[in-house]
Amino acid sequence: MQRVESEITRLIKEIDYDEVTRLFNMLSGGKRLRAKLILKIAPKHEKAPLLAAIVELIHGASLLHDDVIDEALTRRGVPSVNATDGSKTAVMLGDILYSKAFTELVEFDRDIAKVIAASVTSLSKGEMQDVKMADEFNEDEEKYLDMLYLKTATLIEAAAYASALLAGKNASSYGVYGRNLGLSFQIIDDILDITADAVTLGKPAMNDFVEGKCTLPYIYLNRELNAEDSARLKNSHAKHIDEDETLWIKAKMKEHKSVEKSFELAVKLSNEAMLAVKDDKELIDILQTMIKRSY
């Protein structure tokens, strides 16, 4: 990971603009999940740290744009770039990070470069779908999971697939692992948005619903509610709700085990991922640690 951080620093320095360096240094490093995944799949390849750095720049760019779209004032518990320096600056910084990442991708074989580049198109499409779906209460689980795959899982899938190509391993199996890791990781995040407190989250609790996002627990809950309660839930969608309404939603979720049902899907996806890489203990450990983040 020190090599990855050094590569990231080098790439940012090569942009040769102090303002970009200043703004990038404001970004919290985060879990570096995608970078760690690449290093575990291709630990001995000399270009693995560069590939990991490229993927982290792409991920960082997507988060910058995401914060602007969501009008988020914090990211991982610290002020977002759009909060401190404005949305225009955040968008431009994201564009610079994307462009630098694409420039560096030419260092790799065509198949590796193509899978990473294609994932960026997918995640951008997923982001657009996410925004569109927030216009009204979404009741369609399949539609939600398709969006989740595009927005969150594709870059993790691409990182796993590309690093397997780099290491000469079975790319399809590692791609399945990355896809399911990405989906289950986000489902756990969706659960934590409901069950964790604001301090733990680094943002207000139940913020997804306020932003208009109908994550799995809400979709599963709505299926079980009678017409009157379903109308009440939908009436709270995409609004700042008071404590009484928050407690009502949580009580109904507890009654109908909406969170537990969401967690069961995350576990199912995680188990499928483990089967895909059953001989790789380190990758299995990542999944097990991720699942333990839950409620």
Side-chain angles (χ1 to χ4, degrees), residues 78-97:
V78 300
S80 59
V81 171
N82 51 294
T84 59
D85 290 75
S87 293
K88 290 180 181 179
T89 297
V91 169
M92 288 184 289
L93 179 61
D95 290 347
I96 289 170
L97 297 185

Side-chain angles (χ1 to χ4, degrees), residues 152-163:
T152 303
T154 45
L155 185 58
I156 299 176
E157 178 186 43
Y161 190 97
S163 51

Side-chain angles (χ1 to χ4, degrees), residues 55-169:
V55 169
E56 287 298 332
L57 288 191
I58 290 170
H59 180 54
S62 72
L63 295 182
L64 283 161
H65 288 179
D66 200 24
D67 285 344
V68 171
I69 292 165
D70 293 340
E71 298 180 345
L73 299 180
T74 60
R75 165 66 64 179
R76 298 171 182 140
V78 300
S80 59
V81 171
N82 51 294
T84 59
D85 290 75
S87 293
K88 290 180 181 179
T89 297
V91 169
M92 288 184 289
L93 179 61
D95 290 347
I96 289 170
L97 297 185
Y98 273 137
S99 301
K100 182 60 175 172
F102 286 137
T103 300
E104 295 300 316
L105 272 178
V106 300
E107 295 291 326
F108 293 87
D109 290 342
R110 184 178 182 275
D111 288 344
I112 292 173
K114 186 175 180 179
V115 74
I116 298 294
S119 74
V120 178
T121 303
S122 294
L123 72 87
S124 300
K125 177 182 170 184
E127 182 65 69
M128 185 176 285
Q129 288 182 356
D130 191 26
V131 171
K132 186 66 177 173
M133 285 168 63
D135 289 345
E136 58 186 15
F137 190 99
N138 172 56
E139 304 178 42
D140 189 332
E141 177 185 358
E142 185 176 345
K143 184 178 178 181
Y144 177 73
L145 289 173
D146 285 345
M147 179 279 295
L148 213 62
Y149 165 68
L150 291 170
K151 183 183 174 184
T152 303
T154 45
L155 185 58
I156 299 176
E157 178 186 43
Y161 190 97
S163 51
L165 286 178
L166 203 62
K169 296 180 178 179

Side-chain angles (χ1 to χ4, degrees), residues 185-196:
F185 187 92
Q186 188 57 53
I187 291 169
I188 296 296
D189 267 8
D190 292 347
I191 291 171
L192 290 173
D193 181 77
I194 296 164
T195 61

